[in-house]
Each structure stands twice: as structure tokens, then as C-alpha cells.
Amino acid sequence: MVSLRARSFVLAALVALATASPTHLEARTIHERRVAPAPGFTDLGPAPADDQLKLRIALKSTNIVGLEKELMAVSDPRSARYGQHLTPEQVAEYVKPTADTLSAVTSWLESNNIASTPISPAGDLLQIQIPVSKANSLLSAEFSLFKHTNSNETNIRTLQYSLPASLAPHVAYLHPTTSFTTSILPPNPKLKLLNKVNTKRAVDASCLEEATPACLQELYGIPSAPATQKNNVLGVSAFSRQFAIFEDLQSFLTELRPDIDPTTRFNVLPVDGGANTQLPSNAGLEANLDIQYTVGLATNVPVTFIAVGDRTTDGVFGFVDEVNALIALSPAERPTVLTTSYGFNEFQLTQPVAQGLCNAYLQLTALGTSILFASGDGGVGGVRANDTCTVFNPTEPAGCPWITTVGATELIEGDGGLHESGVAFSSGGFSNHFPTPDYQKQDIHQFIAGLDGQYDGQYNASGRGFPDVSALGMNFVVYSDRFSTLVGGTSASSPIFASIISLLNDELIGQGKSPLGFLNPLLYSATGRAALNDITNGTNPSCGTDGFSATSGWDPITGLGTPNYAKLRQAVGLA
């Protein structure tokens, strides 16, 4: 028996053939398809024919593999070209589509009376706007309304779409089509503590209940001396209408960093109609956390709050638009470090869309920006804990090999002091979209061998492992809407690690050296891992399991470990 959905796709294809000109009668090939919508989405039926769809067409790049090789050549400390970051013009040469690709796609659009606009620096992204009825006929698709159960958000998506056979090799993907995204998820509030111990380091006992900048300075040896370089910008991403309030930052600095001028401000870069509204009632707990633990930790480093709006109505668009906006900045304005505390579950995105997003980060880090992402707060269950899952859920973009993903630890009592342990919510695992990169293969092999068959079939043993590193992620004192509160999550950990990298960059630039750029080849080297505190306790349970266990060396809870500033200085050649 043929399903109603299958009949609908056949009907759409027949309508397309009936209305096409002879030049459009070429056979079509399915470009992307999924059997069912992503978990949590319900099909409400066909989308209104007159609703407008804003679609992006990603064109195949000239030589993305070549750019990957170039990135490694300037990021590997053993390379003679280490630190010689690329220019936007050099990056664009690898990313831009070939003349044949651009001609094929634009000719196809023009023959269907569709105008397009380039929206990326390299010209590899085109944007079109057409009604649902035309999208259905153009792509042999059936766009429907899908509602997300928890958020009640409604998206227009399709389970498959097709392209003319001769055009398909020129197109990476169209979006939004078969990827199902909701609003980008910020962190969970304060989560429970674990009772496990790890390697002892002397830390003030008050830090167990309330983590402050002073605690982090003591724990990781972070200096309090002011940075001096004005062209060393620390970027802080903000999505989901999260606003960072100057008044809350002033209260934070007054109480917890009295050595910093309480009137210290951060810059705001709006993207996609974003803003940073200053009404106290609009305070965003995530945004305040990220700003307070960058401005309040990376002393005197210029901080830019990148406020990405919801003009595109799609989270993936927002991520890509942020990258393109940063690429377009001058070298003095472009962040040398970018921290982001938002993300998706990997199953929400199709592989081509995930690859396209990862390629955007590849471009930015090739310019010399260190990109750090929080790993997520659901253990092996993904962005948010989910005990109904039967297989482990990686997070996105945490699995992209060109970023540094940050997990979380907590402080616990034992053996006469406070120690760090992997915290239960720290998301970690193995990507289903990206294979294990060369810089990580030995660590992944060693960890999986130690599992001895445990969880076989519940994770991708050949996938990119995450997180790469970790930092404290519990009981952070944050000021929001004029009051202090305690919050936690890997979204606290990423700003901490980013602040440390920014302070290292300040010293490097002050000595006439390049900023660090892509961090992972350094971190996974013998020198890099020796500068990290190996965390060997903790688990990240979810999906009805105990999750993975922290162990000696890399593990999918705490990565390679937490930072030691003095040793990192030596690792980057400052001592």
C-alpha cells in the first residue's frame, strides 16, 4: 500500500512536470530525505500555499579540502607556517563556487523567474524567497507545518526535496527544508552535585557553594593584571533574545571584581536585526552569565557582545550569519576568540546542513579566531537530558572538528580539600556527522578500547569525540535583573576557557606574535595536554545509562582536562 505522504510526493512531481517548460523536463534526483521529522515535531498538514519561504542555497565550494589543509598548516605547532593565519581573500578563493557551479544555479533560478541574492563573503550562499506553492513544484516537495511539542514553535519543512540531475552536483543543500530546529537552547539552571573526588588542588572552601572570579583565578591561576592590547577582541555570542544588562554587569564588578572599574562596558554588534535592550526586566540569564564571566575574568580585554536577532526565524541561519558578519570585520575588530553557549541536538540537522555550518567555522578559524562552544547540558542525551533516548545524542556544532568544545566540572570535597570532577550534565560523546579528526584519533582509540564493548551500538565509534577540554560549570554567582543568583552549565565553562585564551593572546600580541587561532592541534599535542589538569572522576548519565566515565587522558565528559594558566603560557611560548 502506498502511503498518503508518498502519494503527495508523486503528485507534486507530476504537477512540476505539467507546469514546466521543455527545458525543465530533465529527470530529478532526491537531494535530501528523512523518513520522519526530528523527535518532538508533529506534522500538522500542508503549509499554506501563499506563505513565503526564505530559502538559502549553499553552492559547492571550489576546494574546501584545500582550506582544511591550509588551516592545519597554520595551526599545527610543528609546522613552519604556524601562526600565519589566512586573509579573508585567501579563504574566499577556497570557498567560492566555480564559475560552472554559479552559472548552473543562477540559470536554473532565472529560468524559473526567481531572483537570488548572494549573502556570504565568498558568494557560496544564495538567498531566494518564494511562496510555498512554488517551492513545492520547484523542488518536487511537500512543505508542511510542523509543531514542536515542548516549545509550541511551528516551522515549515519538508521530508524530502529533489533537484534536476545536472544541477545536483553543484548544490550542497537548501535550507530550511529537511532540518528541524527550534529556538537555540541556552543552559539549564543550577544542577545537582556529585559526590566523587579527583586530584587535589588547594582552593578556598567557599568556592564549593559560590563560584566567583576569585575562585576561578585561584583554581586555574588566571592573572588579574589588566590586558593591554586593544586589537585583541573577545566575542560573546547571544541568541534567543538574550540581553546582557550594563547595570547588572556594574553590580557584578562592584561586588566580585572591585579592582575593575565598575563602569566598564562591552561593545555590541547586532546581526540579523539583533539588539541589546537595557530594560532590567529583559535581562537574559545566559547573556549576563557570558558577559560577566568574560568582562569580569579577562581583565581589560575588549569584549564584543554579538546580538543575533531572529529576523531569519531559523537558528542555523543565525549561526551562519554571525560567522559571515565576523569575517566581514576588519582584523582589528574581528574577535581573536569567540565563545558560544547555545546549540542544537545533532539529530535536528541533516548532514549537509551540519557540514555547511561547520565549513563556516572553518573559514572563521582560518582567519585566526579561536572558536569555543559549550558542549551541552544533557550528558550523553544531548543538549538537554533525555532519559527516553535509546541511543546517545551528540550535540551540534560541538562535533565540528574546527572548533574547541568545552565540557564542565564541579568542585567536590574529599581527602582534605576541594577537587574537580566531571559533572553529570556535561554533554559528551561522538558525532554521527563528522569522522574522528587525525589530531584526535589516538585518544579516541584509547578511550574506546577502555570501554571494552560497553555501549556498543549506542554511539558512533568512528565519530569526532567531544568535548576537547573543560572548566568549572557549577554554582556561578550571576547578577540578573538587579539580583544575584546561582547558575551552572557548560555555558559557564566555555566563557571561562575563552577568557583564558584571550589573556594568552594579549600577551602574545604584546610580544609581536600572532593570536592562537585554531586551538585543537596545540591542545592535543604533548605540550598542550601537559598544560591541562587531567580530570579522572565523574560520569554523564542519560538515556537510561550511567553514561561515559571520566578517565586518565581524553574522555567524553571533560575532554583533555581543565586549564592551568602558568603551564599554558609555557605551551604557547610565553615563558
Side-chain angles (χ1 to χ4, degrees), residues 330-404:
S330 70
E333 297 172 306
R334 187 183 306 120
T336 60
V337 179
L338 175 67
T339 177
T340 304
S341 297
Y342 305 76
F344 310 94
N345 282 310
E346 196 178 71
F347 59 70
Q348 293 179 279
L349 307 184
T350 61
Q351 199 283 330
V353 172
Q355 184 67 64
L357 178 57
C358 189
N359 287 348
Y361 292 118
L362 167 66
Q363 297 172 57
L364 181 59
T365 199
L367 301 178
T369 299
S370 301
I371 303 173
L372 295 94
F373 264 84
S375 69
D377 294 347
V380 294
V383 173
R384 294 285 174 85
N386 177 12
D387 282 334
T388 65
C389 46
T390 56
V391 294
F392 298 164
N393 294 323
T395 57
E396 197 83 73
C400 173
W402 314 122
I403 68 174
T404 301

Side-chain angles (χ1 to χ4, degrees), residues 170-364:
H170 298 286
V171 176
Y173 64 87
L174 278 80
H175 182 78
T177 51
T178 55
S179 289
F180 287 73
T181 55
T182 57
S183 293
I184 304 164
L185 294 174
N188 284 330
K190 179 183 176 184
L191 300 173
K192 65 180 181 180
L193 297 172
L194 299 175
N195 294 309
K196 297 187 178 181
V197 298
N198 194 31
T199 307
K200 180 169 67 175
R201 292 192 302 280
V203 181
D204 188 283
S206 64
C207 297
L208 179 66
E209 298 299 328
E210 294 185 351
T212 65
C215 293
L216 297 168
Q217 289 168 338
E218 183 180 359
L219 182 64
Y220 300 132
I222 304 171
S224 60
T228 60
Q229 305 301 308
K230 297 304 180 185
N231 60 337
N232 176 42
V233 176
L234 171 52
V236 176
S237 302
F239 299 89
S240 302
R241 298 184 181 181
Q242 286 275 328
F243 306 129
I245 307 301
F246 290 119
E247 183 181 346
D248 289 328
L249 175 60
Q250 182 170 342
S251 298
F252 178 86
L253 295 176
T254 299
E255 292 297 322
L256 300 178
R257 281 301 305 271
D259 56 322
I260 296 180
D261 181 355
T263 64
T264 297
R265 292 289 186 263
F266 52 89
N267 297 316
V268 177
L269 175 65
V271 175
D272 286 344
N276 191 37
T277 303
Q278 288 299 297
L279 292 175
S281 59
N282 287 337
L285 189 59
E286 172 62 72
N288 276 335
L289 165 66
D290 293 348
I291 279 295
Q292 289 167 23
Y293 282 88
T294 47
V295 174
L297 201 59
T299 310
N300 208 42
V301 170
V303 173
T304 295
F305 183 77
I306 306 160
V308 183
D310 54 7
R311 181 180 293 167
T312 65
T313 69
D314 179 87
V316 177
F317 282 179
F319 275 49
V320 174
D321 289 350
E322 178 189 32
V323 171
N324 288 335
L326 297 181
I327 291 174
L329 295 176
S330 70
E333 297 172 306
R334 187 183 306 120
T336 60
V337 179
L338 175 67
T339 177
T340 304
S341 297
Y342 305 76
F344 310 94
N345 282 310
E346 196 178 71
F347 59 70
Q348 293 179 279
L349 307 184
T350 61
Q351 199 283 330
V353 172
Q355 184 67 64
L357 178 57
C358 189
N359 287 348
Y361 292 118
L362 167 66
Q363 297 172 57
L364 181 59

